[in-house]
Amino acid sequence: GDSVTQMEGPVTLSEEAFLTINCTYTATGYPSLFWYVQYPGEGLQLLLKATKADDKGSNKGFEATYRKETTSFHLEKGSVQVSDSAVYFCALDATGANSKLTFGKGITLSVRP
Amino acid sequence: GAGVSQSPRYKVAKRGQDVALRCDPISGHVSLFWYQQALGQGPEFLTYFQNEAQLDKSGLPSDRFFAERPEGSVSTLKIQRTQQEDSAVYLCASSFRWTGKGSNVLTFGAGSRLTVL
């Protein structure tokens, strides 16, 4: 079945460090890929998405590129801020109908001042 | 409302009790989804509605779980005879678009945390 694998966490970085969070997926067909973020005490929010191979999603300085050849969608940011501290989830939608997301386990990012 | 509202935010139930969790989606949102998030895990799909129609309930873990959305707005997730393994955060999400109609941004609520003793 469809699945998403995220790197093990948690991750702790100093402010302005470079961030990479790995995400790989298994799915039939051509899924859409997403990164969601959950700030403390808040609901999940869509951070960025990509719907086809080689698409790059970007938002708030974060980027991820849909790599079909490596079935990956790694999240990157060049310079993290304390306000980026949150839990990050990689997800896919293989239905093509945007009706059912499959999430990874999530990874907690803590950024130190 | 401005966002997806869920209540209660926290619920403690004794094993065997029935619980009901409510979701108020954003006004006018057609699609509504329920997810279950166990501790340390990502959310897992339970069921979804388009208006009042429950189009997919394949993720409901047992017949003790029941969801409804009778008027196409507010939804209730009911769990009968709760068990300890039901302890989780239950997330509701809604979307303006019909599913299957292109890019579909989900807005999630903050969740209802259920603890079964």
Side-chain angles (χ1 to χ4, degrees):
Chain A
D2 303 329
S3 66
V4 174
T5 302
Q6 293 185 232
M7 60 184 279
E8 292 290 325
V11 172
T12 302
L13 295 174
S14 297
E15 204 165 23
E16 300 184 0
F18 184 85
L19 169 71
T20 299
I21 302 177
N22 290 343
C23 171
T24 57
Y25 68 90
T26 302
T28 54
Y30 302 94
S32 296
L33 302 175
F34 307 82
W35 277 99
Y36 277 82
V37 59
Q38 188 170 33
Y39 298 102
E42 298 184 17
L44 283 164
Q45 301 174 24
L46 178 65
L47 181 59
L48 53 84
K49 65 179 181 181
T51 57
K52 61 182 188 294
D54 299 324
D55 267 4
K56 178 184 284 188
S58 61
N59 186 26
K60 299 182 180 181
F62 291 89
E63 292 184 340
T65 301
Y66 190 142
R67 301 287 189 200
K68 189 172 184 300
E69 64 275 15
T70 55
T71 62
S72 66
F73 193 55
H74 304 323
L75 182 68
E76 296 182 336
K77 186 174 185 182
S79 176
V80 294
Q81 305 301 311
V82 172
S83 57
D84 294 327
S85 299
V87 183
Y88 292 81
F89 294 91
C90 184
L92 68 81
D93 171 22
T95 65
N98 296 300
S99 63
K100 189 185 299 185
L101 293 173
T102 299
F103 285 88
K105 288 187 176 183
I107 186 169
T108 300
L109 170 66
S110 298
V111 180
R112 299 183 299 237
Chain B
V4 177
S5 178
Q6 293 188 245
S7 60
R9 287 294 309 277
Y10 303 93
K11 175 70 178 177
V12 178
K14 292 183 179 179
R15 191 173 57 181
Q17 280 185 328
D18 297 348
V19 300
L21 307 176
R22 176 187 170 106
C23 174
D24 282 89
I26 293 173
S27 178
H29 275 198
V30 171
S31 299
L32 184 145
F33 305 80
W34 284 99
Y35 285 81
Q36 180 191 57
Q37 186 176 11
L39 186 64
Q41 303 295 316
E44 292 192 359
F45 172 83
L46 293 177
T47 184
Y48 89 89
F49 295 81
Q50 273 185 185
N51 293 313
E52 69 278 4
Q54 188 174 20
L55 298 188
D56 187 339
K57 54 182 181 179
S58 62
L60 296 176
S62 77
D63 59 7
R64 295 186 295 103
F65 287 71
F66 173 76
E68 60 183 4
R69 194 187 185 198
E71 297 179 359
S73 55
V74 172
S75 177
T76 303
L77 177 66
K78 297 179 179 178
I79 309 173
Q80 297 177 324
R81 304 181 303 282
T82 53
Q83 304 294 313
Q84 284 188 321
E85 61 263 28
D86 299 335
S87 296
V89 176
Y90 291 85
L91 300 173
C92 177
S94 69
S95 172
F96 176 74
R97 293 180 184 274
W98 292 84
T99 56
K101 297 296 183 182
S103 179
N104 199 20
V105 177
L106 299 185
T107 302
F108 281 83
S112 292
R113 182 180 296 276
L114 172 64
T115 302
V116 181
L117 303 178

